[in-house]
Amino acid sequence: SKKLGEAGARLEEWGVKFEALSSELCARASVVVVSPGVSYFTPELEAARAAGVPVWGEVELAARELQGPIVGITGSNGKTTTTALTGHLFAEAGVAAQVGGNIGLPVTEMIASSRPDQWNILELSSFQLATAESLHCRVAAVLNITENHLDWHRSFEHYYSSKQRIVRNQNAEDVLVWRLEAGLEAIAESTPAMRRGFHPTKPSPHGAWQLFGTIYADGEPLLETKDLQLAGKHNWENVMAAAQIGLAAGLSRGAIARGAASFRPVEHRLEFVREVKGVRYYNDSKATTPAAALMAIAAIAGPLWVILGGKDKGLDFTPLRAALSGRTRAVLLVGQDAPKIAAALQGAVPLVEAGTVDAAVRYANERAQAGETVLLAPGCTSWDQFKNFEERGRLFKKTVEELGG
């Protein structure tokens, strides 16, 4: 509130009115620009829409000024890695591009450095897409859609329709890159753009797939999975998606293969931290949903100690039962919604109330045997105990680095 007061005083000096948010104020505005964290269904925004006032997010505001073609990447899981990797592939190929959006640099901060001959590679969340009207993606990528952010969207239908807006303004000269699965067919069929698919195992025309350790694209071998620094089969899909984006943008196959091989994992996305007394530690603090935690669990072989918990998004944790049962030494529960997770997993796996991430690391360190893995894949947001998932991941890494051995 102190900062708001200071901002209000400065705005008054510039002759700009500063008023407390209200439904009445929003209803008489010319346009309302909203932060991604504010729910679409906030009463003030409902009042604005009811009065016919446009409600824009930061991406919509920027899209009206941004120069150059746009690659838009969305998905419930994998979009940060895919966006960073896509930017790396463009750099490897010597193709001018800048990267931003949900990945860090706000799109409005990319306007000044944008130009007609430079690509804008954007990670786009459902929050950002929900208020996007004029955004036009030359290449749109939809990686997957699983239940997520239902506390913000109120329904899976609204979440899905928000993701679908990434193809809203595409035409026949554009490209959609999508995972070849039944759940995404409605999106694929709603755009006139050319389609480039990808799938873990299924060959298809203009598709990418993997067979016996080779990733194929358009029917020809592209690269070997053994050459990748990214761990886990789910990351092979991210590589396929980024490769398809690169091919759609005209990058050479050689540049794509070289770039994929030299790309290092993004911090907090199944990031190997270190090995202590034969026990490996992985940081996947970005796994903020049960589905993302499932991907991390599936990516690592052998016995596991899994740290789960934080602030839940209103999602179901029972799908984790089968994945954890039989191969998990213990689930170490942390954070606000640990009781909900415990109820969902009761009887399937040993449960330990660790309370905090650092306590969970120390507990596992005292008991884990060589050949086992300690995995931070919380399945929840970090907002109960941390500022963000980065802070949570860094505490995990700091604690691991301080372990003896």
Side-chain angles (χ1 to χ4, degrees):
S1 57
K2 181 186 176 186
K3 285 185 178 178
L4 282 174
E6 291 171 356
R10 180 66 58 87
L11 288 168
E12 293 286 357
E13 288 175 17
W14 294 339
V16 178
K17 286 187 177 180
F18 184 80
E19 296 182 30
L21 182 67
S22 68
S23 295
E24 187 275 330
L25 174 63
C26 288
R28 61 182 166 86
S30 301
V31 62
V32 175
V33 180
V34 61
S35 165
V38 179
S39 172
Y40 185 90
F41 297 101
T42 299
E44 292 83 357
L45 301 184
E46 296 274 36
R49 284 191 291 269
V53 176
V55 177
W56 298 347
E58 185 261 348
V59 167
E60 176 60 25
L61 183 68
R64 294 164 178 265
E65 300 293 333
L66 198 65
Q67 298 184 71
I70 293 172
V71 171
I73 299 168
T74 198
S76 303
N77 298 295
K79 58 183 177 291
T80 298
T81 294
T82 303
T83 304
L85 173 56
T86 301
H88 184 75
L89 297 186
F90 276 64
E92 178 69 37
V95 175
Q98 56 179 352
V99 179
N102 198 53
I103 199 170
L105 186 66
V107 189
T108 45
E109 289 189 25
M110 300 169 69
I111 294 171
S113 54
S114 68
R115 59 179 201 259
D117 62 341
Q118 176 179 258
W119 288 83
N120 302 284
I121 301 169
L122 308 181
E123 176 187 331
L124 298 170
S125 72
S126 59
F127 298 179
Q128 293 168 315
L129 288 168
T131 51
E133 298 288 339
S134 60
L135 176 73
H136 172 215
C137 294
R138 179 78 61 80
V139 181
V142 183
L143 308 180
N144 48 65
I145 299 183
T146 58
E147 283 197 347
N148 201 348
H149 302 301
L150 300 193
D151 52 345
W152 194 95
H153 286 282
R154 295 196 180 175
S155 71
F156 180 73
E157 290 71 26
H158 187 259
Y159 175 61
Y160 188 98
S161 65
S162 296
K163 292 285 192 187
Q164 188 165 8
R165 294 173 78 89
I166 197 167
V167 300
R168 179 183 174 94
N169 297 308
Q170 284 198 301
N171 57 50
E173 295 178 359
D174 300 324
V175 178
L176 168 66
V177 172
W178 66 300
R179 191 182 196 275
L180 297 168
E181 61 177 66
L184 300 182
E185 284 177 354
I187 294 177
E189 290 168 2
S190 69
T191 175
M194 178 191 149
R195 302 178 206 169
R196 299 188 72 95
F198 65 94
H199 189 272
T201 57
K202 185 167 72 178
S204 63
H206 300 298
W209 65 92
Q210 182 274 145
L211 181 66
F212 300 129
T214 299
I215 289 177
Y216 292 80
D218 292 345
E220 298 291 333
L222 182 67
L223 56 95
E224 301 295 312
T225 57
K226 66 178 174 55
D227 295 331
L228 300 173
Q229 298 181 59
L230 290 166
K233 291 183 179 179
H234 66 295
N235 271 322
W236 298 355
E237 292 193 42
N238 296 334
V239 170
M240 292 179 210
Q244 289 287 55
I245 293 167
L247 291 170
L251 273 57
S252 74
R253 296 172 74 92
I256 291 170
R258 287 193 303 275
S262 63
F263 180 75
R264 296 181 62 81
V266 178
E267 188 182 17
H268 313 299
R269 281 87 175 170
L270 206 60
E271 174 193 13
F272 175 65
V273 181
R274 69 180 286 219
E275 187 173 303
V276 183
K277 295 179 291 186
V279 178
R280 293 168 68 82
Y281 290 79
Y282 280 89
N283 165 32
D284 201 20
S285 185
K286 184 64 168 63
T288 59
T289 67
L294 268 174
M295 286 188 175
I297 291 161
I300 294 175
L304 285 173
W305 299 77
V306 183
I307 302 172
L308 283 174
K311 187 174 185 296
D312 170 44
K313 298 178 180 179
L315 305 177
D316 181 14
F317 286 84
T318 54
L320 290 173
R321 291 177 65 90
L324 293 168
S325 180
R327 60 171 302 214
T328 306
R329 293 286 308 281
V331 166
L332 311 172
L333 296 167
V334 301
Q336 172 184 305
D337 288 317
K340 175 183 174 180
I341 301 170
L345 301 182
Q346 197 72 47
V349 66
L351 302 173
V352 176
E353 294 281 351
T356 63
V357 168
D358 48 337
V361 169
R362 289 191 290 269
Y363 182 95
N365 176 60
E366 290 169 4
R367 294 161 177 81
Q369 305 295 312
E372 297 176 350
T373 298
V374 179
L375 169 66
L376 172 67
C380 296
T381 71
S382 59
W383 301 324
D384 57 335
Q385 295 179 328
F386 301 94
K387 195 166 55 176
N388 49 42
F389 73 83
E390 291 96 338
E391 185 180 78
R392 175 172 63 189
R394 287 178 190 133
L395 173 67
F396 174 81
K397 293 199 293 181
K398 179 175 182 288
T399 309
V400 171
E401 294 294 352
E402 290 171 352
L403 296 176

